[in-house]
Amino acid sequence: MKTTLTLLLACCLAPLAHAEGAPDCQVGKLSPAPVDQSVHWNGPCKDGYADGTGVLEWTTKDGTVRRIEGKFTHGAVSGEAKLKAGDKFTYVGSLTDGVPDGEGYLHFASDLRYEGGLKMMRREGKGVQIYPNGDTYQGEFHADRPNGKGVLTFALGGTIEGEFRDGRAVDGAKITYAGSGRTGTFDAAARDAGRTGPKPDNTFKQHQDEADVGTLLKKTVVKSSLPTNVGWDGLTPEQKDQFRNDYPALEPGDEPPYPVHGLAEFNKVILAAAGKFNAQGMLRMNVLVGADGRAKEVRRIGNFDDEVVRYVAAAAIALRYKPAVCHGQPCEMLYPIAMNITHTLQ
């Protein structure tokens, strides 16, 4: 019996953790499995096991360094802990064998966020998921996706409430349209048929006002799938449909708001602010445009440099817009601003 117990312990423990003052301190099973001799424990040990509040780190086969901060008992996490998996995700909640399991909060590198039930890293049970663009789903999850009863709230207005299957709303769900607040019955086939296909492979370029010293060529500073120097009336019917597709709950026949003169001058403000504060990444915000075409407020989406957001929000408020149109009448609706800033002008 004693020999059997020793073998069981050997199969269920991670390699010996290298702990300060206790090189033979052991920890429980870890998944993904650590590379040999990569487990490091910075904390107290008791009876040969990590025991108490500390930090556990190990490297997985793909080179990812995983780090758990929390309380351990007899080599295993006890209660809530914080897990960071390299640059892939951060998690706060309960763990089993170093894997999110039970209840907790996940924040992925893509800025997708989830809080709720988990079963060995897969979303399971009830939870809330916030997408990078600000859309929010609240309801039931199964097999790591929205499955069951739920409500999908769109950042640009409108909701779908009802049954979801494999992440998509099922026919018969209740849809509330953006702007008008009118309700209807969701029909996936009709909705998809009324939307255009993938965005055209067109790239419109916005250049510097003046070329750099020593050259006559003006650098491209903005690339866009829509022209930046025209307003709504200057877009082709295909381009208008392309922009409408950004609104998941726009009722057929309605129009979203749009800058009267396009975004060319506004883009310069974004780049100038980003250059001033040396900021990069995805800048997202939604502007609430009233029925009179005036911006009423700016809603920030995700994280970005605070000073840049302040400058850009002020410019967005000052921008002139064509108001949205709901059933032939001007109405209040959100206008999205999104720019992936990969480098900045100095």
PDB file of all heavy atoms in Angstrom, residues 142-164:
ATOM      1  N   HIS A 142     -22.619  27.000 -23.601  1.00  0.00           N
ATOM      2  CA  HIS A 142     -22.342  25.565 -23.610  1.00  0.00           C
ATOM      3  C   HIS A 142     -21.314  25.297 -24.705  1.00  0.00           C
ATOM      4  O   HIS A 142     -21.375  25.904 -25.775  1.00  0.00           O
ATOM      5  CB  HIS A 142     -23.621  24.755 -23.877  1.00  0.00           C
ATOM      6  CG  HIS A 142     -23.385  23.281 -23.965  1.00  0.00           C
ATOM      7  ND1 HIS A 142     -22.908  22.542 -22.908  1.00  0.00           N
ATOM      8  CD2 HIS A 142     -23.543  22.407 -25.005  1.00  0.00           C
ATOM      9  CE1 HIS A 142     -22.791  21.284 -23.272  1.00  0.00           C
ATOM     10  NE2 HIS A 142     -23.169  21.171 -24.541  1.00  0.00           N
ATOM     11  N   ALA A 143     -20.361  24.397 -24.416  1.00  0.00           N
ATOM     12  CA  ALA A 143     -19.316  24.053 -25.387  1.00  0.00           C
ATOM     13  C   ALA A 143     -18.553  25.300 -25.828  1.00  0.00           C
ATOM     14  O   ALA A 143     -18.193  25.450 -27.002  1.00  0.00           O
ATOM     15  CB  ALA A 143     -19.906  23.321 -26.587  1.00  0.00           C
ATOM     16  N   ASP A 144     -18.338  26.221 -24.882  1.00  0.00           N
ATOM     17  CA  ASP A 144     -17.495  27.403 -25.080  1.00  0.00           C
ATOM     18  C   ASP A 144     -18.120  28.478 -25.959  1.00  0.00           C
ATOM     19  O   ASP A 144     -17.424  29.402 -26.390  1.00  0.00           O
ATOM     20  CB  ASP A 144     -16.133  26.981 -25.665  1.00  0.00           C
ATOM     21  CG  ASP A 144     -15.009  27.948 -25.291  1.00  0.00           C
ATOM     22  OD1 ASP A 144     -15.052  28.499 -24.175  1.00  0.00           O
ATOM     23  OD2 ASP A 144     -14.085  28.153 -26.113  1.00  0.00           O
ATOM     24  N   ARG A 145     -19.439  28.382 -26.232  1.00  0.00           N
ATOM     25  CA  ARG A 145     -20.091  29.373 -27.080  1.00  0.00           C
ATOM     26  C   ARG A 145     -21.467  29.702 -26.518  1.00  0.00           C
ATOM     27  O   ARG A 145     -22.041  28.908 -25.752  1.00  0.00           O
ATOM     28  CB  ARG A 145     -20.236  28.858 -28.515  1.00  0.00           C
ATOM     29  CG  ARG A 145     -18.936  28.404 -29.151  1.00  0.00           C
ATOM     30  CD  ARG A 145     -19.109  28.049 -30.598  1.00  0.00           C
ATOM     31  NE  ARG A 145     -19.316  29.221 -31.432  1.00  0.00           N
ATOM     32  CZ  ARG A 145     -19.469  29.186 -32.761  1.00  0.00           C
ATOM     33  NH1 ARG A 145     -19.489  28.026 -33.384  1.00  0.00           N
ATOM     34  NH2 ARG A 145     -19.636  30.289 -33.444  1.00  0.00           N
ATOM     35  N   PRO A 146     -22.043  30.847 -26.923  1.00  0.00           N
ATOM     36  CA  PRO A 146     -23.419  31.128 -26.519  1.00  0.00           C
ATOM     37  C   PRO A 146     -24.354  30.047 -27.037  1.00  0.00           C
ATOM     38  O   PRO A 146     -24.480  29.828 -28.242  1.00  0.00           O
ATOM     39  CB  PRO A 146     -23.704  32.483 -27.177  1.00  0.00           C
ATOM     40  CG  PRO A 146     -22.367  33.133 -27.290  1.00  0.00           C
ATOM     41  CD  PRO A 146     -21.430  32.002 -27.619  1.00  0.00           C
ATOM     42  N   ASN A 147     -24.983  29.335 -26.121  1.00  0.00           N
ATOM     43  CA  ASN A 147     -25.946  28.291 -26.452  1.00  0.00           C
ATOM     44  C   ASN A 147     -27.026  28.304 -25.381  1.00  0.00           C
ATOM     45  O   ASN A 147     -26.724  28.131 -24.201  1.00  0.00           O
ATOM     46  CB  ASN A 147     -25.284  26.909 -26.499  1.00  0.00           C
ATOM     47  CG  ASN A 147     -24.654  26.584 -27.835  1.00  0.00           C
ATOM     48  OD1 ASN A 147     -25.344  26.404 -28.834  1.00  0.00           O
ATOM     49  ND2 ASN A 147     -23.328  26.540 -27.867  1.00  0.00           N
ATOM     50  N   GLY A 148     -28.270  28.498 -25.809  1.00  0.00           N
ATOM     51  CA  GLY A 148     -29.363  28.578 -24.857  1.00  0.00           C
ATOM     52  C   GLY A 148     -29.999  29.956 -24.877  1.00  0.00           C
ATOM     53  O   GLY A 148     -29.895  30.713 -25.850  1.00  0.00           O
ATOM     54  N   LYS A 149     -30.685  30.304 -23.789  1.00  0.00           N
ATOM     55  CA  LYS A 149     -31.356  31.593 -23.694  1.00  0.00           C
ATOM     56  C   LYS A 149     -30.345  32.707 -23.422  1.00  0.00           C
ATOM     57  O   LYS A 149     -29.440  32.548 -22.598  1.00  0.00           O
ATOM     58  CB  LYS A 149     -32.383  31.572 -22.566  1.00  0.00           C
ATOM     59  CG  LYS A 149     -33.500  30.550 -22.736  1.00  0.00           C
ATOM     60  CD  LYS A 149     -34.435  30.934 -23.883  1.00  0.00           C
ATOM     61  CE  LYS A 149     -35.609  29.965 -23.961  1.00  0.00           C
ATOM     62  NZ  LYS A 149     -36.528  30.298 -25.080  1.00  0.00           N
ATOM     63  N   GLY A 150     -30.525  33.828 -24.124  1.00  0.00           N
ATOM     64  CA  GLY A 150     -29.619  34.942 -23.891  1.00  0.00           C
ATOM     65  C   GLY A 150     -30.071  36.218 -24.556  1.00  0.00           C
ATOM     66  O   GLY A 150     -31.047  36.239 -25.321  1.00  0.00           O
ATOM     67  N   VAL A 151     -29.343  37.292 -24.269  1.00  0.00           N
ATOM     68  CA  VAL A 151     -29.604  38.608 -24.860  1.00  0.00           C
ATOM     69  C   VAL A 151     -28.298  39.147 -25.424  1.00  0.00           C
ATOM     70  O   VAL A 151     -27.291  39.236 -24.705  1.00  0.00           O
ATOM     71  CB  VAL A 151     -30.166  39.605 -23.829  1.00  0.00           C
ATOM     72  CG1 VAL A 151     -30.408  40.963 -24.477  1.00  0.00           C
ATOM     73  CG2 VAL A 151     -31.452  39.075 -23.212  1.00  0.00           C
ATOM     74  N   LEU A 152     -28.298  39.474 -26.698  1.00  0.00           N
ATOM     75  CA  LEU A 152     -27.143  40.079 -27.345  1.00  0.00           C
ATOM     76  C   LEU A 152     -27.442  41.559 -27.547  1.00  0.00           C
ATOM     77  O   LEU A 152     -28.385  41.916 -28.259  1.00  0.00           O
ATOM     78  CB  LEU A 152     -26.872  39.400 -28.684  1.00  0.00           C
ATOM     79  CG  LEU A 152     -25.703  39.928 -29.522  1.00  0.00           C
ATOM     80  CD1 LEU A 152     -24.392  39.836 -28.755  1.00  0.00           C
ATOM     81  CD2 LEU A 152     -25.604  39.181 -30.850  1.00  0.00           C
ATOM     82  N   THR A 153     -26.658  42.400 -26.884  1.00  0.00           N
ATOM     83  CA  THR A 153     -26.835  43.853 -26.966  1.00  0.00           C
ATOM     84  C   THR A 153     -25.722  44.433 -27.819  1.00  0.00           C
ATOM     85  O   THR A 153     -24.541  44.238 -27.529  1.00  0.00           O
ATOM     86  CB  THR A 153     -26.803  44.482 -25.571  1.00  0.00           C
ATOM     87  OG1 THR A 153     -27.836  43.900 -24.761  1.00  0.00           O
ATOM     88  CG2 THR A 153     -27.031  45.991 -25.651  1.00  0.00           C
ATOM     89  N   PHE A 154     -26.089  45.140 -28.868  1.00  0.00           N
ATOM     90  CA  PHE A 154     -25.101  45.683 -29.798  1.00  0.00           C
ATOM     91  C   PHE A 154     -24.635  47.071 -29.350  1.00  0.00           C
ATOM     92  O   PHE A 154     -25.444  47.903 -28.938  1.00  0.00           O
ATOM     93  CB  PHE A 154     -25.685  45.760 -31.204  1.00  0.00           C
ATOM     94  CG  PHE A 154     -26.091  44.423 -31.754  1.00  0.00           C
ATOM     95  CD1 PHE A 154     -27.432  44.086 -31.874  1.00  0.00           C
ATOM     96  CD2 PHE A 154     -25.139  43.488 -32.129  1.00  0.00           C
ATOM     97  CE1 PHE A 154     -27.812  42.855 -32.363  1.00  0.00           C
ATOM     98  CE2 PHE A 154     -25.506  42.247 -32.618  1.00  0.00           C
ATOM     99  CZ  PHE A 154     -26.845  41.928 -32.742  1.00  0.00           C
ATOM    100  N   ALA A 155     -23.351  47.301 -29.455  1.00  0.00           N
ATOM    101  CA  ALA A 155     -22.782  48.588 -29.049  1.00  0.00           C
ATOM    102  C   ALA A 155     -23.344  49.735 -29.880  1.00  0.00           C
ATOM    103  O   ALA A 155     -23.445  50.866 -29.402  1.00  0.00           O
ATOM    104  CB  ALA A 155     -21.258  48.549 -29.166  1.00  0.00           C
ATOM    105  N   LEU A 156     -23.729  49.460 -31.115  1.00  0.00           N
ATOM    106  CA  LEU A 156     -24.271  50.501 -31.990  1.00  0.00           C
ATOM    107  C   LEU A 156     -25.789  50.594 -31.921  1.00  0.00           C
ATOM    108  O   LEU A 156     -26.421  51.283 -32.722  1.00  0.00           O
ATOM    109  CB  LEU A 156     -23.830  50.259 -33.440  1.00  0.00           C
ATOM    110  CG  LEU A 156     -22.338  50.462 -33.699  1.00  0.00           C
ATOM    111  CD1 LEU A 156     -22.000  50.166 -35.154  1.00  0.00           C
ATOM    112  CD2 LEU A 156     -21.898  51.868 -33.324  1.00  0.00           C
ATOM    113  N   GLY A 157     -26.375  49.895 -30.947  1.00  0.00           N
ATOM    114  CA  GLY A 157     -27.808  49.994 -30.736  1.00  0.00           C
ATOM    115  C   GLY A 157     -28.552  48.746 -31.163  1.00  0.00           C
ATOM    116  O   GLY A 157     -28.178  48.070 -32.118  1.00  0.00           O
ATOM    117  N   GLY A 158     -29.604  48.436 -30.422  1.00  0.00           N
ATOM    118  CA  GLY A 158     -30.430  47.295 -30.747  1.00  0.00           C
ATOM    119  C   GLY A 158     -30.033  46.052 -29.962  1.00  0.00           C
ATOM    120  O   GLY A 158     -28.909  45.957 -29.451  1.00  0.00           O
ATOM    121  N   THR A 159     -30.955  45.099 -29.882  1.00  0.00           N
ATOM    122  CA  THR A 159     -30.720  43.849 -29.164  1.00  0.00           C
ATOM    123  C   THR A 159     -31.387  42.698 -29.884  1.00  0.00           C
ATOM    124  O   THR A 159     -32.318  42.889 -30.683  1.00  0.00           O
ATOM    125  CB  THR A 159     -31.276  43.903 -27.721  1.00  0.00           C
ATOM    126  OG1 THR A 159     -32.700  44.078 -27.783  1.00  0.00           O
ATOM    127  CG2 THR A 159     -30.668  45.040 -26.927  1.00  0.00           C
ATOM    128  N   ILE A 160     -30.907  41.488 -29.590  1.00  0.00           N
ATOM    129  CA  ILE A 160     -31.584  40.261 -29.988  1.00  0.00           C
ATOM    130  C   ILE A 160     -31.750  39.431 -28.723  1.00  0.00           C
ATOM    131  O   ILE A 160     -30.772  39.170 -28.015  1.00  0.00           O
ATOM    132  CB  ILE A 160     -30.801  39.467 -31.043  1.00  0.00           C
ATOM    133  CG1 ILE A 160     -30.669  40.280 -32.339  1.00  0.00           C
ATOM    134  CG2 ILE A 160     -31.480  38.136 -31.321  1.00  0.00           C
ATOM    135  CD1 ILE A 160     -29.880  39.569 -33.418  1.00  0.00           C
ATOM    136  N   GLU A 161     -32.971  39.024 -28.433  1.00  0.00           N
ATOM    137  CA  GLU A 161     -33.275  38.274 -27.220  1.00  0.00           C
ATOM    138  C   GLU A 161     -34.014  36.992 -27.570  1.00  0.00           C
ATOM    139  O   GLU A 161     -35.014  37.013 -28.281  1.00  0.00           O
ATOM    140  CB  GLU A 161     -34.127  39.116 -26.275  1.00  0.00           C
ATOM    141  CG  GLU A 161     -34.481  38.434 -24.967  1.00  0.00           C
ATOM    142  CD  GLU A 161     -35.274  39.321 -24.029  1.00  0.00           C
ATOM    143  OE1 GLU A 161     -35.519  40.493 -24.396  1.00  0.00           O
ATOM    144  OE2 GLU A 161     -35.648  38.847 -22.942  1.00  0.00           O
ATOM    145  N   GLY A 162     -33.487  35.882 -27.094  1.00  0.00           N
ATOM    146  CA  GLY A 162     -34.133  34.607 -27.378  1.00  0.00           C
ATOM    147  C   GLY A 162     -33.164  33.459 -27.294  1.00  0.00           C
ATOM    148  O   GLY A 162     -32.260  33.443 -26.460  1.00  0.00           O
ATOM    149  N   GLU A 163     -33.329  32.489 -28.184  1.00  0.00           N
ATOM    150  CA  GLU A 163     -32.508  31.283 -28.186  1.00  0.00           C
ATOM    151  C   GLU A 163     -31.277  31.478 -29.081  1.00  0.00           C
ATOM    152  O   GLU A 163     -31.374  32.034 -30.180  1.00  0.00           O
ATOM    153  CB  GLU A 163     -33.329  30.094 -28.697  1.00  0.00           C
ATOM    154  CG  GLU A 163     -32.667  28.751 -28.529  1.00  0.00           C
ATOM    155  CD  GLU A 163     -32.723  28.231 -27.107  1.00  0.00           C
ATOM    156  OE1 GLU A 163     -33.556  28.743 -26.327  1.00  0.00           O
ATOM    157  OE2 GLU A 163     -31.931  27.325 -26.785  1.00  0.00           O
ATOM    158  N   PHE A 164     -30.124  31.007 -28.572  1.00  0.00           N
ATOM    159  CA  PHE A 164     -28.886  31.063 -29.348  1.00  0.00           C
ATOM    160  C   PHE A 164     -28.345  29.650 -29.531  1.00  0.00           C
ATOM    161  O   PHE A 164     -28.456  28.806 -28.641  1.00  0.00           O
ATOM    162  CB  PHE A 164     -27.844  31.930 -28.648  1.00  0.00           C
ATOM    163  CG  PHE A 164     -28.125  33.401 -28.738  1.00  0.00           C
ATOM    164  CD1 PHE A 164     -29.109  33.984 -27.943  1.00  0.00           C
ATOM    165  CD2 PHE A 164     -27.431  34.212 -29.623  1.00  0.00           C
ATOM    166  CE1 PHE A 164     -29.390  35.340 -28.032  1.00  0.00           C
ATOM    167  CE2 PHE A 164     -27.704  35.566 -29.716  1.00  0.00           C
ATOM    168  CZ  PHE A 164     -28.685  36.135 -28.920  1.00  0.00           C
TER     169      PHE A 164
END
